[in-house]
Amino acid sequence: MIDSFERFPFCLPSVRALDNLPLHPKVTYFIGENGSGKSTLLEAIAVSLGFNAEGGGKNFSFGTRRSHSVLHEYLRVAKGFRRARDGYFLRAESFFNVATEIENLDKEPFGGPPIINHYGGLSLHEQSHGESFMALLTKRFGGQGLYLLDEPEAALSPQRQLAALARIHTLVEDDSQFIIATHSPILMAYPDARIYQFGEDGITELQYRDTEHYQVTRAFLANPEGMIRTLFDDKD
Ligand SMILES: Nc1ncnc2c1ncn2[C@@H]1O[C@H](COP(=O)(O)OP(=O)(O)O)[C@@H](O)[C@H]1O
Ligand SMILES: [Mg+2]
């Protein structure tokens, strides 16, 4: 039973309206304004699937931040007939902590090869944010997996976003499934996907070209000077 729709997370329109949210077998996107509940839902899905709320693979169990919301207790994530062999929950804001955790674990080896080997062998702290994210995507993600990514674009140049899309495609072809919260009109362009927009009216499905991200970016790039002028004039 939900005790109050006034309290977080049930106060969020997207969470309140949540009933049945069919995930695309390949890629599902969560888009919408800041604060609309994308991370809250992604985290709840992750926790209910057995991932650490802080991020990482399923064997990570460290915690350095505030506790996660109770939403996972109210979710039932229906699993398909395929069993995911691999999995990862990436929280952009705590990837740094995951990198630290890997270094700490590798300081006290437990017999097997160092964990960092799964990420290409180079300390994630000694690479740029974008490089370490690409190492995660190309080295650590091994296919037949479920990958939950929260705003991965922060680290990535446009070229790298394209490279990330190509890598996502390769992993999808190898029976992987992605759920990605993003603001990037490039990253959200995977063709075989479902886009859910979180907003005041709950969660709505949209086509790629109908998203604000696509339309605003397109209008802006078609006429940056004109758009800037209008924007600045409005302020006067
Ligand atoms: N632990 C929490 N307690 C109370 N409010 C929270 C908590 N975590 C997030 N919120 C609020 O819930 C809203 C949705 O947050 P979030 O899911 O992070 O949004 P998004 O990822 O879509 O930007 C925000 O207004 C945020 O301030
Ligand atoms: Mg978020």
Side-chain angles (χ1 to χ4, degrees):
M1 271 302 288
I2 290 167
D3 54 7
S4 169
F5 280 105
E6 269 144 46
R7 271 210 306 274
F8 176 79
F10 304 104
C11 56
L12 299 172
S14 54
V15 170
R16 195 182 313 189
L18 195 58
D19 176 20
N20 184 21
L21 197 71
L23 299 174
H24 193 285
K26 294 180 176 175
V27 181
T28 303
Y29 291 109
F30 292 171
I31 68 170
E33 271 315 311
N34 302 112
S36 59
K38 304 178 298 295
S39 296
T40 302
L41 183 57
L42 199 63
E43 175 192 88
I45 293 173
V47 172
S48 74
L49 289 171
F51 289 96
N52 181 24
E54 178 99 21
K58 283 212 180 172
N59 45 359
F60 283 90
S61 60
F62 70 106
T64 45
R65 61 194 282 277
R66 58 165 174 77
S67 62
H68 49 82
S69 88
V70 296
L71 181 57
H72 67 97
E73 293 168 21
Y74 300 82
L75 279 190
R76 198 169 56 82
V77 182
K79 307 210 175 96
F81 58 90
R82 271 188 280 120
R83 231 181 90 83
R85 196 180 53 80
D86 188 26
Y88 210 91
F89 174 36
L90 175 87
R91 299 184 70 100
E93 76 264 30
S94 61
F95 192 42
F96 183 88
N97 298 340
V98 171
T100 305
E101 178 66 6
I102 292 169
E103 287 190 347
N104 288 339
L105 289 171
D106 281 345
K107 271 187 209 139
E108 296 166 33
F110 54 92
I115 297 168
I116 195 65
N117 287 5
H118 296 295
Y119 296 76
L122 208 58
S123 163
L124 297 176
H125 280 314
E126 288 163 21
Q127 305 180 52
S128 79
H129 188 188
E131 286 165 342
S132 59
F133 176 71
M134 288 311 286
L136 177 73
L137 207 59
T138 54
K139 306 283 189 344
R140 167 61 186 75
F141 290 9
Q144 294 169 47
L146 174 65
Y147 305 107
L148 312 176
L149 312 179
D150 198 352
E151 292 189 31
E153 66 269 19
L156 303 174
S157 70
Q159 277 295 350
R160 283 264 171 84
Q161 292 189 39
L162 295 175
L165 264 186
R167 177 64 185 154
I168 287 169
H169 183 56
T170 305
L171 290 163
V172 161
E173 300 265 275
D174 190 14
D175 280 340
S176 299
Q177 187 175 13
F178 284 81
I179 309 177
I180 306 173
T182 184
H183 296 294
S184 161
I186 296 178
L187 266 192
M188 74 177 70
Y190 194 80
D192 225 354
R194 206 180 269 253
I195 301 178
Y196 287 122
Q197 171 158 274
F198 290 45
E200 286 305 313
D201 311 325
I203 301 179
T204 330
E205 190 179 349
L206 280 183
Q207 295 304 310
Y208 176 59
R209 285 183 171 72
D210 295 330
T211 62
E212 190 184 276
H213 309 69
Y214 175 86
Q215 291 182 0
V216 171
T217 309
R218 188 186 153 97
F220 183 81
L221 293 180
N223 180 13
E225 295 79 9
M227 210 135 152
I228 292 278
R229 225 176 297 118
T230 315
L231 203 61
F232 291 2
D233 283 350
D234 283 354
K235 288 241 156 57
D236 296 338

